[in-house]
Amino acid sequence: PFPASRKREEKDPSKAVVVSRLPASAEEEGVRAAFEGFGPVRSVKVVRQQGRPPLAFVNFEEAKAAQRAAREVNGTDAFGAGKPVQAVVQSARREQQQQQQQKKMTVALEKTAKRREEGPRRRKDYVASKSASSTPANEEKRTTLRPMWGLDHDEAADAVMALGFGYSRREFARFVSTLRRTRFGGDIVLATEPEERMKSGVAAYLRGERVLAYGFEYECVKKKKNRRRLLMTPAGCQLTNWYARGDQRGPRPLALARYEMYRSWLLNYRPTVWAIVFDFRDTYFQRNPFDIIDRAPTAPNLHLFAENRKVKTVGKCVFNSGWLRCWGKHVPKLYFNRSVVCSGSTMGTQPALLAYTERMIAEFDVMKCHMTPARTESDQGYHNYLYDSGALATLDGVRVVHHEQGTGGLVNTIGAMNGFRVPKHMKGPLDTFWKIRDQEGYLLEYDGSRSAVVHQWDRFHPELVKFIDGLVNDYDSSKKSLRD
């Protein structure tokens, strides 16, 4: 038995967080996993109430950890159920402490807002971007390119969009064939190289899969070798055949320019359509995500997907915290314990995704982080800042939610679980260590269901590549049998 002093500590209200409005399926293990990132958890108890959502009592070792947990979790969809939970510390001093912290955060955010207002650019284009897609302003945002091979958009079809160029037929198939294998019959829209520069067999393959391929061209300055293809250089690139009046934005990484591509494509669809924008190289499909999305009028209509918070939060990751410093040195501290929301997969309705892409582009134009001394090339800093600061939640008609890794069923982003900075004792095989593969090899959510999409699979390349290629081969065989 514990000493009396230890028992008193367990009942210390300053170390206990009460979590309400939990999903009906909440279990102690899942609650513990959601809160362990804030500090050592002594105990968790889930209390079920007849006719009401469950409650959970989370007891921490330290009062500071409990305060951080309540502050970061309260009002968020921490369990991927589409509804915000409430989290408060059982302490008489909590209200005063929360007010003080809120004041500090408000001051810090005001400093950030002031810095941005003093910048050389303004968001003049942003208000105009909310107009209907047929307006002259939006016509300038369309591309002069058309899909190759006489194919065209189905304005009523759901769509999957990505920037993918320079790849082999097999690499294209890992994305396209695994998606078609789920019986997804909507549009697959890709920004690729022109047909004459495609590798052997790629053009015939993409045409046969009815892929809407846009053969874009670009010029980059100070191109360096051994850089990630999407990022190119800090100085960036310009799109040479995308716009009728030429590229007016100046050099920028293609990781940012791709949002203009998404915007151009989204203008071809009706407001009732759902779409997903993806990283291309490291994504494959196990189920059709559009079959499981909640399309109710009041449900979230913009879905973001987080990386594993046990091994990565904003504060733990030198890259993500570094990217956020573009908005000020104090900003990473504000979101220290927030989950890292991956910019490589975002799903939403056509109006919500259009508002999101417009907001991202507006932020690119103002902050120009790739031109700062830090030379931030990634779009993920923008993605996390706009979500964590609440800017996305203020967009008209947008109901944004994020899903923690391994929850929600839509996209399972697994890369951080095998990160090179993760201690060896905290990582291992997907099946024996993480226990998220079934006997057939499919990746699982933590509730045991199969994830619709797996993102960042290449971080586990030796474990997954044969399985993914097996899905591709299975699809090819089924198509061949239908032809025969």
Side-chain angles (χ1 to χ4, degrees):
F2 294 118
S5 61
R6 180 68 178 269
K7 290 183 178 180
R8 285 196 297 271
E9 288 177 2
E10 283 191 332
K11 296 179 180 179
D12 187 345
S14 68
K15 300 179 181 179
V17 177
V18 182
V19 189
S20 57
R21 297 184 179 178
L22 289 170
S25 60
E27 298 291 346
E28 291 180 0
E29 183 179 358
V31 175
R32 179 183 289 273
F35 283 89
E36 281 179 335
F38 300 101
V41 174
R42 178 172 297 172
S43 64
V44 175
K45 184 178 181 180
V46 175
V47 179
R48 304 196 181 279
Q49 312 168 92
Q50 186 173 3
R52 294 183 180 182
L55 287 171
F57 295 87
V58 183
N59 292 290
F60 286 87
E61 295 281 358
E62 299 178 354
K64 289 184 178 180
Q67 293 166 11
R68 288 197 302 270
R71 184 168 62 248
E72 297 294 337
V73 173
N74 187 48
T76 68
D77 181 19
F79 297 89
K83 296 180 181 179
V85 299
Q86 289 185 342
V88 295
V89 174
Q90 286 183 313
S91 173
R93 295 175 296 174
R94 174 57 184 165
E95 183 176 353
Q96 181 181 359
Q97 293 169 343
Q98 192 174 32
Q99 290 174 350
Q100 291 173 347
Q101 183 62 20
Q102 184 63 42
K103 184 178 179 180
K104 291 180 181 178
M105 292 182 68
T106 301
V107 171
L109 288 172
E110 287 175 350
K111 289 181 180 179
T112 299
K114 184 178 180 181
R115 175 175 176 265
R116 291 160 65 195
E117 288 173 0
E118 292 172 349
R121 295 288 299 271
R122 296 292 185 268
R123 294 180 177 83
K124 292 180 180 179
D125 294 335
Y126 180 56
V127 174
S129 72
K130 296 183 179 181
S131 58
S133 62
S134 60
T135 64
N138 274 341
E139 289 304 315
E140 292 185 358
K141 298 168 186 175
R142 294 181 183 272
T143 178
T144 58
L145 293 177
R146 296 305 304 164
M148 289 186 264
W149 313 303
L151 302 174
D152 207 351
H153 297 264
D154 180 349
E155 64 177 10
D158 295 329
V160 174
M161 304 173 178
L163 168 61
F165 62 99
Y167 295 108
S168 67
R169 183 192 184 283
R170 172 60 65 170
E171 289 170 311
F172 274 103
R174 288 170 182 160
F175 186 95
V176 175
S177 289
T178 60
L179 177 54
R180 290 296 190 207
R181 183 179 178 275
T182 69
R183 299 187 179 181
F184 172 73
D187 285 353
I188 301 176
V189 192
L190 300 180
T192 71
E193 63 269 55
E195 182 175 1
E196 62 271 17
R197 294 208 293 270
M198 289 180 174
K199 294 184 178 180
S200 176
V202 169
Y205 170 75
L206 295 180
R207 183 175 185 175
E209 295 300 334
R210 309 184 312 283
V211 172
L212 306 182
Y214 283 73
F216 81 103
E217 296 181 330
Y218 60 94
E219 291 182 357
C220 299
V221 295
K222 296 182 181 179
K223 183 181 292 187
K224 296 180 180 180
K225 295 181 180 180
N226 301 322
R227 304 291 293 185
R228 286 180 59 189
R229 184 179 285 115
L230 287 184
L231 301 183
M232 290 300 179
T233 68
C237 311
Q238 288 187 285
L239 306 177
T240 58
N241 65 342
W242 195 262
Y243 296 110
R245 298 184 180 181
D247 190 340
Q248 306 296 317
R249 306 199 96 84
R252 61 211 180 276
L254 290 181
L256 308 189
R258 60 179 172 170
Y259 287 82
E260 299 163 55
M261 299 174 178
Y262 301 154
R263 179 178 65 184
S264 295
W265 295 333
L266 287 165
L267 292 172
N268 292 292
Y269 294 95
R270 297 177 185 174
T272 53
V273 161
W274 280 77
I276 315 179
V277 296
F278 272 124
D279 284 347
F280 179 83
R281 174 181 53 85
D282 55 2
T283 300
Y284 78 93
F285 300 82
Q286 301 185 142
R287 301 164 60 196
N288 185 348
F290 298 99
D291 286 345
I292 59 178
I293 192 68
D294 185 354
R295 299 176 186 248
T298 58
N301 61 2
L302 185 65
H303 295 259
L304 314 184
F305 305 96
E307 302 186 40
N308 184 284
R309 66 170 291 113
K310 283 187 178 181
V311 299
K312 180 188 283 190
T313 59
V314 168
K316 289 179 183 177
C317 180
V318 295
F319 298 108
N320 285 275
S321 58
W323 294 331
L324 286 175
R325 289 192 183 94
C326 183
W327 287 264
K329 293 181 179 179
H330 63 284
V331 172
K333 297 179 181 178
L334 294 178
Y335 309 121
F336 189 88
N337 278 313
R338 295 290 180 91
S339 298
V340 173
V341 184
C342 184
S343 60
S345 56
T346 305
M347 183 176 192
T349 61
Q350 185 266 3
L353 267 182
L354 193 56
Y356 162 75
T357 56
E358 289 281 17
R359 189 66 180 83
M360 287 283 281
I361 294 167
E363 199 72 12
F364 300 158
D365 288 348
V366 171
M367 297 306 296
K368 296 185 180 296
C369 297
H370 62 287
M371 298 181 67
T372 64
R375 299 295 179 104
T376 302
E377 301 170 323
S378 176
D379 55 333
Q380 187 147 300
Y382 296 94
H383 185 74
N384 277 266
Y385 179 78
L386 293 178
Y387 179 64
D388 287 338
S389 67
L392 295 183
T394 66
L395 298 176
D396 289 346
V398 172
R399 299 178 297 280
V400 63
V401 66
H402 91 268
H403 302 272
E404 290 296 336
Q405 182 269 324
T407 68
L410 293 167
V411 178
N412 196 344
T413 304
I414 62 175
M417 297 152 69
N418 201 33
F420 70 94
R421 292 178 180 269
V422 178
K424 289 184 179 180
H425 72 277
M426 295 182 66
K427 61 183 179 180
L430 293 166
D431 50 3
T432 58
F433 183 85
W434 291 103
K435 302 184 186 305
I436 56 169
R437 291 190 78 181
D438 63 19
Q439 293 182 347
E440 297 180 58
Y442 289 90
L443 260 290
L444 305 176
E445 304 287 289
Y446 292 119
D447 64 5
S449 62
R450 289 178 177 176
S451 307
V453 188
V454 180
H455 182 214
Q456 297 181 348
W457 70 265
D458 61 327
R459 278 66 157 185
F460 290 88
H461 187 279
E463 293 182 57
L464 291 175
V465 66
K466 289 184 179 180
F467 171 75
I468 299 168
D469 285 345
L471 297 180
V472 172
N473 295 338
D474 177 67
Y475 174 72
D476 290 344
S477 297
S478 64
K479 284 194 67 176
K480 183 178 180 180
S481 63
L482 288 175
R483 288 195 301 267
D484 294 343

